[in-house]
Amino acid sequence: MPQPVLTASLTKDVALCNSPLKTKGALTIVAEKDQETLPLDLLLVLDVSGSMSGAGISVVTDSMKHILNDLMRPEDRIAVITFNSSAAVHTQWTDVTGTVAPLTAGGGTNFGSAINQVLSFLGGNDNDGSRAGVAFFLSDGQGQAAKDDNVRSIPDFGFTMHTIGVTSGANPTHLEQMAELARGHYYHAPGFEDVKQAFQSVFNYGKTIVYAAPDLDITIPDGVALSDIIQTPQGLSLSKHLGPGTHSISLSHMIKDTRMEISFSVSVDNVLCEGQTMIATFELDQTSTHLSVRGTDDQTELYNAPMNTDVTMIAHSAVAATALKKGDEAAVTRALTKMEKLGTVNPNANTRTTIISQATQATTQGERMEILGKMQSDTSGKTKLRDD
Amino acid sequence: MYCSDPDCSHLLAEADLAAGCCQNCYDMLDATQIEVLRKEIGIAKYAPPEITIPDKNEEAIALPEFEMCPSCSADLMDQSLSEWRQGAPCPICQEPSPHQNATDSTQVTLAGEKWAGPNMLSFILNSGPNIGASFSLPIGVDLGRNNLLQVLAIPGYESKRGYLSGEHFKLHVSKESGIVSIEDLGSRNGTYINGVKIVGPIPEDLNYGDVLNLHDLSFSLSAQSSPFLRITHKPSRVVIEHPLFDAPLRLHLGRHTSDGGREAWFRMAQTEFVGNSDALAALETISRRHLFLEFERKENQISVSIWNEVDKISFGVQGVEKLFSTGPSVFEHLIDPNEHKSMVFTHGKNVFEVEYFPVRT
């Protein structure tokens, strides 16, 4: 199993000693160079309630056929779970040679039973990390909610779950929250025609996965706390607050040639004057990195210590991405203004400003999230917009 | 100044400036805020680590790479140049290439070395993917695209090397004052300090935190990048600090210069202590020609030589104690350049503490 490279840094590597400190930090995770993408397990979780009958079902069926016949590679697999008032496995794992039986629609909508079915199905899947898992949850209506804890445990099976809301009848709040909990993206499809596009987009995303939803272990010593832990570009809020001890958090997938970035706030009760003050140890698989800060009372050194513009940029991106998700336009503008200033020293900040501005101008929340999801940094840290 | 986050009304102060981050809400300070805050606190000079690349009036011109054959003065380029560098004879005059067996004498030390060395200065990179990296450049050597890019090894910069001249600039350090200066060697695309182009053969002073720009390569002189000496006359608490850029360095710790004038540091101490009779009295115990120290780099160590020409002096450093007899005598002591070292010279009521500080990484 290839190992990713972890790098953690703070905005400044020195701090005023014998004092408390609050600052920002960032962890970047880069896959090994020329890392092969993993074979993809695509699990479709489809709403087949009454409202989907007719055009809805036929578009979904067409989209599935398109994936099966045109997009899937020989090593990929697909499975289908359907749900209305209850849920059932419609098609077991099958590769390109298989077929999917026709879908029929009718009945109510129960998200809870769908998620339970997903968990029991994935429980028997036995994924050892050698395959990428992507679940795609499609619904057109207001459903009876699933338990947050259940949705949150989907990444434990190496799967991220993306959600798609079809038609204006869908409840985006609910579907967005599910996507966030399961480390995926939310796609908005106002019409059935957009469904096909979303399927293709998720499949293309799945094809580029090099590392299936990994767990990040964070060990924090006494006197230190991390908060507002956010993964970019997804803008996923991983944890609000982590105190001393060892914690495990699920990340979203790692994409080929993309740097995963995790932004966080750091608070240290007291920075030591002698040597380094340990802040955290990050561990992913067998690789780990330490984050520490050096204390000094030399004023000149403190004030002139360079700010790590990458950390600053990652933090601004995270703020912008989360604000964008919440629809807090004022906060997005504030973050963008700061990022624009940063652009004078860090050209990547300019690229990000452009991409996020573009996202703010999109008409629907789903489109905004999709643009954000396509904002990627390659392994050298250069930001680009994925074009699919 | 208050934190710019509308939900946070924290009054920003020194600790926020030191951390570059609001100590209440984690909001990061940008360059403008830092500048305002520094003014408020009264730290006038702002040495910005986050630097803008200056607008250039002139379009950068890329030069083709060439080298002159020393025999026939022909400029060799392209294919001829690469063959010439691999040791083939000059295609014009057929004289053998000096590259035949040569090793590159201008090769400079790679970044990351712990001790920048007495003839090196440390810089911090402000641009490109390696932003924040520190590296060392030699003093008194013509620096250009070849040796500079060797040190920096910036990925993706190869294509832009033509924007740097073969001999672009040179660093100087004054032996007397320790002031660092930079000379532009008539480079094609110029050398900029804080956005101002420097011209002509007279070197411009370079202060800590000043930003140097060569095309879109930007770096600044790292604060306290060189080893330095701090000499404290304990009874009067007079402190002299001296950079140790340019070993051998000779210091005189007495009252008078060789031509009978007053030593500058002694005169300054006298001015400083006007009205402080205790300190002035303590200064009077310093002899006219008191003590000479010479610092020299010997292989991987620094040799400290001591002369005394007047009186009994004892030298003390951990594990070594030595008493000098009256009259001229010389004593040599070796110190590790990577370690902070304190040496004490005692002469009657006089105690000089000489501290050596290595470069801070």
Side-chain angles (χ1 to χ4, degrees):
Chain A
M1 190 72 154
Q3 294 300 315
V5 180
L6 310 185
T7 316
S9 27
L10 292 178
T11 46
K12 285 187 175 189
D13 60 1
V14 292
L16 185 61
C17 77
N18 215 4
S19 307
L21 170 72
K22 283 189 171 185
T23 190
K24 288 273 180 186
L27 173 74
T28 59
I29 306 172
V30 176
E32 259 186 11
K33 207 174 182 311
D34 302 326
Q35 169 82 54
E36 291 289 320
T37 56
L38 299 175
L40 178 65
D41 282 352
L42 184 65
L43 172 63
L44 301 177
V45 189
L46 305 174
D47 182 346
V48 288
S49 60
S51 54
M52 286 292 287
S53 61
I57 282 296
S58 72
V59 167
V60 170
T61 311
D62 280 357
S63 306
M64 280 196 310
K65 278 185 186 155
H66 177 53
I67 290 180
L68 203 57
N69 298 336
D70 307 329
L71 301 178
M72 260 169 69
R73 301 163 298 182
E75 65 270 26
D76 298 334
R77 299 190 302 178
I78 190 171
V80 182
I81 286 175
T82 53
F83 70 96
N84 41 33
S85 328
S86 61
V89 177
H90 178 79
T91 309
Q92 289 285 349
W93 290 121
T94 175
D95 62 10
V96 274
T97 58
T99 50
V100 176
L103 299 168
T104 49
T109 312
N110 187 338
F111 287 5
S113 62
I115 295 301
N116 291 345
Q117 186 64 56
V118 167
L119 290 176
S120 80
F121 181 71
L122 294 182
N125 187 41
D126 194 23
N127 190 336
D128 61 356
S130 61
R131 302 182 68 85
V134 171
F136 200 20
F137 189 100
L138 177 140
S139 173
D140 74 332
Q142 310 260 1
Q144 197 186 329
K147 283 200 182 94
D148 281 0
D149 278 348
N150 288 352
V151 180
R152 200 180 279 127
S153 57
I154 291 174
D156 294 348
F157 297 98
F159 273 69
T160 57
M161 189 175 75
H162 306 264
T163 57
I164 177 168
V166 204
T167 76
S168 48
N171 179 348
T173 325
H174 217 132
L175 290 168
E176 267 171 51
Q177 193 189 338
M178 282 169 61
E180 174 116 17
L181 289 168
R183 309 297 178 226
H185 304 304
Y186 168 70
Y187 293 82
H188 181 64
F192 284 114
E193 279 314 304
D194 301 305
V195 172
K196 201 165 182 173
Q197 180 63 38
F199 265 60
Q200 195 156 336
S201 185
V202 163
F203 187 83
N204 286 338
Y205 168 83
K207 270 198 318 195
T208 57
I209 293 172
V210 291
Y211 212 89
D215 279 345
L216 178 71
D217 289 335
I218 308 179
T219 306
I220 303 169
D222 285 342
V224 178
L226 300 192
S227 51
D228 302 319
I229 303 172
I230 297 165
Q231 179 180 347
T232 36
Q234 292 89 340
L236 287 174
S237 171
L238 299 179
S239 171
K240 277 281 164 228
H241 183 90
L242 294 180
T246 298
H247 313 270
S248 186
I249 53 176
S250 304
L251 304 176
S252 189
H253 290 302
M254 268 187 84
I255 302 304
K256 188 171 169 60
D257 301 328
T258 298
R259 184 173 80 166
M260 186 190 279
E261 299 170 348
I262 291 160
S263 150
F264 47 86
S265 301
V266 175
S267 105
V268 185
D269 287 352
N270 188 43
V271 175
L272 304 176
C273 289
E274 294 293 323
Q276 304 271 333
T277 304
M278 178 57 74
I279 289 179
T281 302
F282 299 93
E283 196 177 351
L284 190 79
D285 253 36
Q286 273 92 52
T287 44
S288 64
T289 186
H290 299 292
L291 178 64
S292 59
V293 68
R294 184 167 58 84
T296 180
D297 56 4
D298 180 338
Q299 301 288 315
T300 321
E301 186 183 12
L302 272 174
Y303 296 141
N304 290 345
M307 297 268 275
N308 186 328
T309 57
D310 245 14
V311 174
T312 321
M313 179 183 70
I314 291 170
H316 288 324
S317 309
V319 170
T322 27
L324 197 60
K325 285 184 99 122
K326 286 186 196 147
D328 183 350
E329 280 181 28
V332 178
T333 312
R334 273 204 306 280
L336 283 181
T337 314
K338 295 196 164 193
M339 195 119 85
E340 225 168 312
K341 280 187 191 165
L342 194 65
T344 54
V345 283
N346 194 329
N348 284 320
N350 281 334
T351 319
R352 291 190 186 202
T353 314
T354 316
I355 296 174
I356 298 172
S357 309
Q358 197 184 326
T360 53
Q361 280 151 21
T363 45
T364 67
Q365 186 67 359
E367 276 175 281
R368 282 178 207 150
M369 289 300 105
E370 200 173 336
I371 294 173
L372 209 58
K374 287 181 183 173
M375 180 175 80
Q376 298 182 337
S377 289
D378 65 16
T379 47
S380 69
K382 191 172 152 56
T383 304
K384 60 177 191 234
L385 188 65
R386 194 176 84 231
D387 48 355
D388 60 39
Chain B
M1 186 174 60
Y2 290 91
C3 174
S4 67
D5 188 312
D7 299 330
C8 174
S9 56
H10 179 62
L11 180 64
L12 299 174
E14 281 94 337
D16 308 280
L17 182 60
C21 208
C22 170
Q23 294 302 283
N24 186 46
C25 73
Y26 303 100
D27 191 43
M28 282 160 297
L29 310 182
D30 62 36
T32 326
Q33 287 172 297
I34 291 175
E35 200 162 3
V36 173
L37 195 51
R38 284 186 82 111
K39 270 191 193 139
E40 279 184 12
I41 296 171
I43 310 166
K45 190 174 175 301
Y46 172 53
E50 296 187 343
I51 291 108
T52 36
I53 292 159
D55 291 329
K56 283 186 261 320
N57 299 325
E58 298 133 279
E59 197 57 34
I61 304 163
L63 292 177
E65 206 172 352
F66 68 92
E67 215 174 287
M68 198 174 73
C69 167
S71 310
C72 64
S73 302
D75 288 336
L76 303 177
M77 290 188 216
D78 302 332
Q79 173 107 28
S80 320
L81 178 64
S82 54
E83 287 172 9
W84 159 265
R85 284 193 170 155
Q86 281 158 24
C90 171
I92 315 290
C93 67
Q94 303 305 326
E95 282 296 314
S97 163
H99 291 286
Q100 221 166 352
N101 299 312
T103 49
D104 193 353
S105 62
T106 59
Q107 184 143 4
V108 285
T109 323
L110 279 169
E113 209 189 50
K114 197 177 175 196
W115 198 60
N119 294 315
M120 305 287 279
L121 289 172
S122 291
F123 291 88
I124 294 174
L125 201 56
N126 294 319
S127 59
N130 291 344
I131 187 160
S134 72
F135 61 98
S136 307
L137 293 176
I139 297 161
V141 172
D142 291 353
L143 293 168
R145 63 190 142 192
N146 291 333
N147 44 19
L148 199 60
L149 292 183
Q150 226 165 36
V151 176
L152 294 175
I154 302 173
Y157 209 85
E158 263 312 287
S159 58
K160 294 179 180 175
R161 70 202 306 271
Y163 294 122
L164 301 177
S165 298
E167 290 156 354
H168 201 111
F169 69 96
K170 194 175 191 171
L171 296 164
H172 300 272
V173 176
S174 156
K175 272 192 185 182
E176 290 74 33
S177 59
I179 289 171
V180 182
S181 54
I182 180 167
E183 174 190 356
D184 182 73
L185 300 170
S187 66
R188 176 61 69 121
N189 294 314
T191 305
Y192 296 78
I193 300 179
N194 296 330
V196 180
K197 190 172 182 177
I198 59 166
V199 199
I202 299 165
E204 287 282 335
D205 286 359
L206 191 62
N207 297 312
Y208 292 129
D210 277 353
V211 182
L212 266 176
N213 276 97
L214 315 171
H215 188 57
D216 53 358
L217 185 65
S218 169
F219 47 95
S220 54
L221 188 59
S222 149
Q224 293 173 335
S225 61
S226 70
F228 68 102
L229 299 164
R230 181 182 294 148
I231 300 144
T232 315
H233 181 246
K234 292 234 156 175
S236 64
R237 291 193 295 282
V238 172
V239 180
I240 320 159
E241 279 197 359
H242 215 291
L244 191 57
F245 296 122
D246 210 352
L249 168 78
R250 184 191 269 212
L251 290 174
H252 172 223
L253 301 179
R255 233 193 281 177
H256 286 184
T257 58
S258 50
D259 55 16
R262 290 245 146 154
E263 274 289 359
W265 66 268
F266 184 82
R267 210 166 49 222
M268 275 168 57
Q270 277 190 319
T271 320
E272 184 79 28
F273 291 142
V274 168
N276 180 347
S277 52
D278 288 352
L280 282 174
L283 280 182
E284 288 309 303
T285 60
I286 298 175
S287 305
R288 288 190 304 131
R289 287 164 67 73
H290 201 104
L291 176 68
F292 290 88
L293 298 178
E294 184 158 323
F295 294 83
E296 201 172 353
R297 195 168 190 193
K298 286 197 172 165
E299 293 185 1
N300 291 323
Q301 290 186 300
I302 294 180
S303 132
V304 188
S305 304
I306 303 135
W307 285 265
N308 75 316
E309 299 194 351
V310 282
D311 215 339
K312 276 184 192 167
I313 285 185
S314 92
F315 165 72
V317 64
Q318 203 180 4
V320 186
E321 291 287 340
K322 168 100 181 164
L323 186 69
F324 293 78
S325 55
T326 308
S329 57
V330 182
F331 174 66
E332 188 183 323
H333 181 70
L334 291 172
I335 59 176
D336 181 343
N338 294 320
E339 276 176 24
H340 166 244
K341 196 76 166 185
S342 167
M343 295 163 277
V344 180
F345 303 90
T346 314
H347 161 241
K349 287 181 181 170
N350 262 312
V351 183
F352 280 105
E353 185 185 14
V354 178
E355 278 177 280
Y356 167 82
F357 293 90
V359 65
R360 294 183 189 175
T361 53

